[in-house]
Structures are given as structure tokens and as C-alpha cells.
Amino acid sequence: MSHRISAIILAAGKSQRMGQPKMVLPWEETTVLGQVIKVFSEAGIRNLFIVTGGDREKVEHEISRLNNNFPIKPVYNPDHEKSGMLSSILAGLNAIPKDVEAVLIGLGDQPQVEIATVDNILDLFYQKRRGIIIPSYNHRRGHPILLDSAMVQELKTFNPEYTLRDFLDSHQGEISYIPAGISVLHDLDTPQDYEKYRGKNKPD
């Protein structure tokens, strides 16, 4: 895979509903965050940026541990407490190389993400080389989401008072959807989510 596709993995949440730092919870042979990084890396992405915020010390300690096996870099979002997801995305976008062809935006608390989904997103991008690519299940948008370089530059100037959904809605005609399993819709917010989905990273 091209080294000119970077990935941003969002891991800046405070895990309030989980009651403990969810990124470092055990998952299969690694952790929740480690599983997401493993899948992205196995899909061939060589530039991975992990956006931290809440539980920064523990999350960055986990990143340091995982860095022995994967090419990952932490990016701290100082606005994580007062702003939403878009501020973490922007923090990541400002850290990636300037010459990227595209950026994949994933969730650090989505360890169910399947390598087939990431592969399909990248394959479609290599065919089209432009636009936005989103996995969907039953016509519902999921993650991870890929933006080409032009979309990345536009998102950097997008009004920070809005959301990623607002940005996507403003570019409906430039979105390509790929069918995916239900796992693209699920992340881990609560202990119940964790127990339900733990160890179920299998094709739907």
C-alpha cells in the first residue's frame, strides 16, 4: 500500500460512560486501541497518528508500548474537553504529512473494525483517487472514513462550530459508499458494549 495514505485514530475521549480508560482495556491479544492500530497497519497504512486527550498519560503510555511494533505517533488535542470530535480530527490533520493522497479517519474505540472493510475502502480509493469513501450498513454511515487530499484541505478550514456530519452532508455528491458489516456502526461506550462486543471481531 502507498505510504502517502495516512490514518488518524481518534482516542481523545474521557471514557466517562465506560468508567475507566477504554483505550487500554484488554482486547484479544492486545488492547482496544492496539486492535484498531493492528488492523490499520495490516491493511498497509504506514503513517498512523493517534489523537489523545482524556486519559492522556495512560493512552500515550499504551502508544509508546505499541510503538515497538507499529509506526504510530501521538498527537495531543488540547481542546478535547471543550470541543467535539471535529477538533480531534483537525488536530490529527494538522500533524499529517503535507503530501498525503488521502487520510483515513478511524475510531480508537472500534476494535471490531475488520481488515476487509479497510482494504475495500483503500481499494476503491486507488480506483477513484478522489472524493470521500464511507462504509455503510443498511444505509447508515459507519467508520472508518476516507477523505482525499482536497477534502482534507477543505475540512481544515471548515467552521469548527460544526461537526464532521455537517461536513459530509455538504458533500453528498462526492461520497462513495461501500457495503460493510454492522461492525462499522459500533464503538465501545459502556461496560455493556465492551462485554457484548469483546472478542467478536469477526465478519458479519
Side-chain angles (χ1 to χ4, degrees):
M1 289 294 181
S2 170
H3 285 232
R4 293 184 62 198
I5 291 184
S6 293
I8 295 169
I9 298 176
L10 305 177
K14 296 179 68 176
S15 302
Q16 289 179 316
R17 294 171 63 191
M18 185 65 72
Q20 58 182 312
K22 59 185 172 181
M23 297 296 164
V24 300
L25 288 173
W27 191 277
E28 296 188 3
E29 298 178 356
T30 179
T31 58
V32 167
L33 179 60
Q35 179 66 21
V36 179
I37 291 170
K38 178 174 179 284
V39 170
F40 279 39
S41 183
E42 288 180 351
I45 297 175
R46 295 292 173 259
N47 288 313
L48 291 96
F49 297 83
I50 318 301
V51 183
T52 68
D55 301 311
R56 180 185 183 184
E57 184 176 341
K58 291 183 178 180
V59 175
E60 291 192 356
H61 181 270
E62 176 66 2
I63 292 170
S64 178
R65 185 185 71 83
L66 293 167
N67 198 38
N68 292 327
N69 298 313
F70 303 104
I72 53 180
K73 304 176 185 68
V75 178
Y76 178 62
N77 174 19
D79 296 323
H80 69 278
E81 289 195 83
K82 60 184 179 181
S83 301
M85 179 190 292
L86 185 57
S87 72
S88 289
I89 293 173
L90 294 175
L93 292 181
N94 287 327
I96 63 173
K98 303 298 183 184
D99 63 345
V100 295
E101 294 181 86
V103 174
L104 191 66
I105 301 170
L107 305 179
D109 61 352
Q110 194 179 50
Q112 313 95 306
V113 62
E114 299 169 11
I115 190 169
T117 299
V118 180
D119 283 341
N120 290 340
I121 291 171
L122 297 179
D123 287 345
L124 182 57
F125 174 73
Y126 288 125
Q127 295 172 34
K128 296 173 64 68
R129 297 282 176 176
R130 60 185 176 81
I132 301 169
I133 302 173
I134 302 178
S136 68
Y137 177 80
N138 281 353
H139 307 289
R140 295 174 61 191
R141 292 172 183 164
H143 286 85
I145 292 171
L146 183 140
L147 307 177
D148 72 7
S149 57
M151 291 295 167
V152 167
Q153 294 306 315
E154 186 172 339
L155 183 55
K156 284 183 177 181
T157 64
F158 197 63
N159 188 330
E161 295 183 3
Y162 293 105
T163 65
L164 178 62
R165 176 179 293 180
D166 294 324
F167 179 80
L168 297 176
D169 287 345
S170 70
H171 290 283
Q172 287 278 11
E174 293 151 293
I175 298 175
S176 298
Y177 292 97
I178 62 167
I182 195 171
S183 62
V184 301
L185 305 180
H186 293 152
D187 55 8
L188 306 180
D189 287 326
T190 67
Q192 291 75 24
D193 293 337
Y194 176 65
E195 292 301 327
K196 180 178 179 179
Y197 299 120
R198 184 181 181 184
K200 293 184 179 180
N201 186 31
K202 300 176 182 179
D204 296 306

